[in-house]
């Protein structure tokens, strides 16, 4: 089983790719190499292969990365399944994970983050939770997004260390994480990881 993340940048026409492209590439590079594990195509669309366990955290990290830039957001569809054809380019590989990701992406209308897997017992509750989470995530400011991104990239750091890294006070970090619903987002990621571990 693998996870395939398919995404595209919202409002990409209104912002220069110079602003978000290198930040996106840096995050995608955390999970593998271009073009086998990830690639960017049509200018503002991308695909990334991760383990099913990593899929939700990677998606939220990508969201935080893109939302740090004003007026930009990202639509993300997570597909879980098999890879039956392995190409040197991810966009030419195939299997149920790719089909699920593509079909999920086609259904993204009001929501900008959803999952499709072979397990309805996973998809139904997780997609409801993701809809609820987006009531907060959709309102992340640039500052909130940078804070969430940094906290996700450095899970070993406590609030004091995050404050030092971002040159802010610990009080600001604490308030910022609370406003961003960070604890709840982490609970969601852990719930998803535990659930997918039992299924895969």
């Amino acid at each position: 089983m693998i996870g395939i993340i398919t995404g595209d940048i919202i409002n990409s026409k209104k912002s220069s790719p110079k602003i978000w492209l290198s930040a996106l590439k840096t995050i995608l590079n955390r999970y593998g190499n271009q073009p086998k594990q990830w690639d960017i195509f049509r200018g503002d669309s991308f695909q990334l292969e991760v383990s099913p366990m990593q899929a939700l955290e990677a998606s939220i990290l990508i969201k935080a990365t893109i939302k740090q830039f004003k007026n930009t957001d990202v639509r993300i569809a997570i597909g879980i399944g098999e890879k039956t054809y392995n190409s040197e380019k991810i966009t030419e590989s195939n299997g149920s994970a790719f089909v699920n990701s593509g079909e999920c992406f086609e259904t993204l209308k009001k929501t900008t983050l959803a999952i499709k897997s072979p397990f309805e017992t996973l998809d139904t509750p997780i997609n409801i939770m993701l809809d609820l989470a987006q009531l907060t995530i959709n309102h992340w400011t640039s500052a909130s997004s940078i804070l969430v991104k940094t906290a996700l990239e450095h899970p070993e750091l406590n609030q004091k260390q995050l404050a030092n890294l971002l040159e802010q006070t610990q009080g600001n970090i604490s308030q910022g994480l609370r406003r961003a619903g960070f604890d709840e987002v982490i609970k969601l990621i852990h719930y998803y990881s535990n659930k997918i571990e039992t299924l895969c």
Side-chain angles (χ1 to χ4, degrees):
M1 285 274 182
I2 60 164
I4 293 294
I5 293 170
T6 303
D8 77 344
I9 307 300
I10 298 170
N11 287 338
S12 62
K13 307 278 187 294
K14 293 180 185 171
S15 61
S16 163
K18 271 189 288 194
I19 295 169
W20 50 263
L21 190 57
S22 65
L24 176 62
K25 284 181 175 178
T26 301
I27 289 302
L28 296 177
N29 264 325
R30 281 173 69 95
Y31 298 98
N33 300 316
Q34 186 183 24
K36 191 164 178 61
Q37 275 94 24
W38 67 267
D39 209 357
I40 293 169
F41 54 97
R42 288 206 306 260
D44 63 357
S45 299
F46 61 90
Q47 207 159 41
L48 167 67
E49 178 184 330
V50 289
S51 73
M53 294 276 291
Q54 289 178 305
L56 183 57
E57 186 173 348
S59 298
I60 291 172
L61 180 53
I62 291 167
K63 240 188 188 314
T65 299
I66 297 302
K67 282 182 74 66
Q68 71 181 307
F69 306 111
K70 210 174 172 195
N71 300 327
T72 53
D73 200 348
V74 58
R75 256 183 300 267
I76 292 177
I78 302 167
I80 307 292
E82 304 291 342
K83 176 154 75 166
T84 47
Y85 177 68
N86 192 5
S87 169
E88 282 306 304
K89 291 180 77 171
I90 186 170
T91 50
E92 293 171 5
S93 293
N94 211 328
S96 60
F98 294 86
V99 173
N100 284 340
S101 187
E103 286 179 357
C104 182
F105 190 79
E106 292 303 316
T107 65
L108 294 179
K109 297 288 184 282
K110 289 179 182 170
T111 189
T112 61
L113 178 58
I115 185 168
K116 185 167 194 247
S117 77
F119 317 109
E120 203 172 307
T121 54
L122 175 78
D123 294 1
T124 302
I126 291 289
N127 280 322
I128 291 168
M129 290 175 197
L130 289 175
D131 282 346
L132 288 167
Q134 285 171 85
L135 296 175
T136 301
I137 292 172
N138 289 344
H139 296 287
W140 282 350
T141 60
S142 293
S144 295
S145 300
I146 290 165
L147 186 48
V148 170
K149 175 180 179 289
T150 309
L152 285 173
E153 286 176 313
H154 301 281
E156 75 287 355
L157 298 186
N158 61 31
Q159 286 188 7
K160 191 171 181 208
Q161 291 165 319
L162 275 175
N164 288 338
L165 184 62
L166 292 168
E167 298 179 343
Q168 293 185 28
T169 65
Q170 192 176 339
N172 280 351
I173 297 294
S174 175
Q175 276 184 323
L177 289 173
R178 197 162 57 245
R179 264 200 307 272
F182 186 73
D183 285 352
E184 291 75 15
V185 167
I186 292 297
K187 281 180 194 167
L188 173 56
I189 290 169
H190 286 162
Y191 174 83
Y192 163 83
S193 301
N194 291 335
K195 194 99 168 136
I196 200 100
E197 196 173 21
T198 61
L199 293 166
C200 293

